[in-house]
Amino acid sequence: MSDPLLSIEGLHTAYGPIEVLHGVDLVVNEGEIVSLVGVNGVGKTTLMRCISGVQPVKSGAIRFRGEDLTRRPDHARASLGITHSPEGRQIFGDLSVAENLRLGGYHRSDDLGADMEEVFGLFPILRDKADLDAGGLSGGQQQMLAIGRAIMGRPKLMLLDEPSMGLAPVLVDQVLAVVKSLRDRGVTLLMVEQNAYAALSIADRGYVMEQGEITLSGKAADLIADPRIREAYLGA
Ligand code: ATP
């Protein structure tokens, strides 16, 4: 059998003396949407930061197609096709919407026009505002721009951090529909969400994190039906 796209084994990391991930194991296979759910502060974002390379790892392995990334710098991971979004959104407010999108494809030498059209097709509001400063967008529009910019990088693995954060319910549905359509186009996604139901409802598999450890994992449909999950995360 071929290697999983992403495989994390026994991952430990710390902020100064305080360890926040205590031996995390997680696998993402090519073509999957995997959701990582858990309440505030359990270490979900820290795990994403370890994968994208901005947070150093204390011990354990992060393998991408079997190759250990743990000692590779973050830009090397980006060139392998790993993008991390929205990462606190981090859009460039004094550049236009279109310029922000082009920056997402900065490492590509081919024509970006077709992908830009694709992003505008997914988020028509970005086309309407293409020439305006990104800083003037609403929070939800900035979220869409951050996802659009990640799409422009033609990622193999997209790390999506709280894509529904701060969005009105109608926009949550729109963003989740985009996430599903990305999978249909061959992007593999690892998504972190506090909105457990939304995250699991579009995922193939899921992991539950508590206090820096994975405590449950399985098919997303099984997790949604699990009474422990329903009680703790789905408000049942
Ligand atoms: P949230 O949904 O709030 O982002 P999370 O599950 O993603 O929560 P993390 O942000 O990964 O959790 O935080 C895990 C723990 O590490 C928390 O106790 C947090 O306070 C701590 N932490 C996060 N970032 C730092 C940092 N830069 N320095 C020190 N401690 C940090």
Side-chain angles (χ1 to χ4, degrees):
M1 231 177 85
S2 60
D3 288 314
L5 189 63
L6 178 75
S7 157
I8 295 173
E9 295 157 26
L11 193 72
H12 292 252
T13 190
Y15 292 109
I18 302 176
E19 185 175 281
V20 288
L21 296 182
H22 316 294
V24 169
D25 295 314
L26 179 147
V27 165
V28 182
N29 296 303
E30 187 135 23
E32 283 188 314
I33 299 177
V34 172
S35 288
L36 174 64
V37 302
V39 298
N40 249 339
V42 295
K44 306 180 301 298
T45 297
T46 300
L47 177 62
M48 299 293 240
R49 289 164 49 86
C50 288
I51 300 168
S52 62
V54 291
Q55 166 68 20
V57 160
K58 221 166 100 183
S59 61
I62 300 172
R63 293 184 217 284
F64 188 72
R65 299 201 160 116
E67 181 195 349
D68 192 356
L69 295 184
T70 322
R71 309 281 164 232
R72 280 215 185 201
D74 53 354
H75 56 81
R77 302 182 200 202
S79 62
L80 285 172
I82 302 175
T83 67
H84 188 182
S85 167
E87 218 176 354
R89 294 179 193 155
Q90 290 187 1
I91 60 154
F92 297 98
D94 51 359
L95 297 183
S96 73
V97 167
E99 285 165 337
N100 270 274
L101 289 174
R102 278 193 210 99
L103 276 175
Y106 73 94
H107 61 283
R108 291 172 44 195
S109 52
D110 52 334
D111 180 22
L112 300 179
D115 287 9
M116 197 102 121
E117 276 307 308
E118 185 178 338
V119 172
F120 289 153
L122 293 168
F123 298 119
I125 188 75
L126 297 183
R127 186 199 303 275
D128 300 344
K129 307 218 168 199
D131 298 326
L132 303 181
D133 280 356
L137 298 180
S138 72
Q141 292 161 359
Q142 290 190 12
Q143 196 90 318
M144 293 177 197
L145 179 57
I147 294 173
R149 194 177 57 187
I151 292 171
M152 295 292 293
R154 293 241 181 120
K156 303 259 182 328
L157 173 66
M158 201 188 248
L159 308 171
L160 266 181
D161 206 337
E162 304 270 1
S164 79
M165 187 162 64
L167 299 187
V170 55
L171 293 179
V172 172
D173 291 346
Q174 195 182 336
V175 165
L176 293 178
V178 167
V179 171
K180 269 169 81 171
S181 79
L182 291 175
R183 185 210 24 213
D184 298 341
R185 273 165 237 218
V187 181
T188 301
L189 294 116
L190 174 60
M191 180 166 72
V192 159
E193 263 291 344
Q194 286 186 46
N195 184 342
Y197 182 77
L200 292 172
S201 65
I202 63 157
D204 299 293
R205 291 187 305 111
Y207 289 83
V208 178
M209 186 178 264
E210 291 176 46
Q211 306 305 334
E213 287 175 275
I214 302 294
T215 51
L216 264 180
S217 64
K219 285 189 186 155
D222 293 342
L223 291 176
I224 289 179
D226 188 314
R228 290 168 292 179
I229 303 281
R230 297 186 76 82
E231 194 176 324
Y233 299 100
L234 305 178

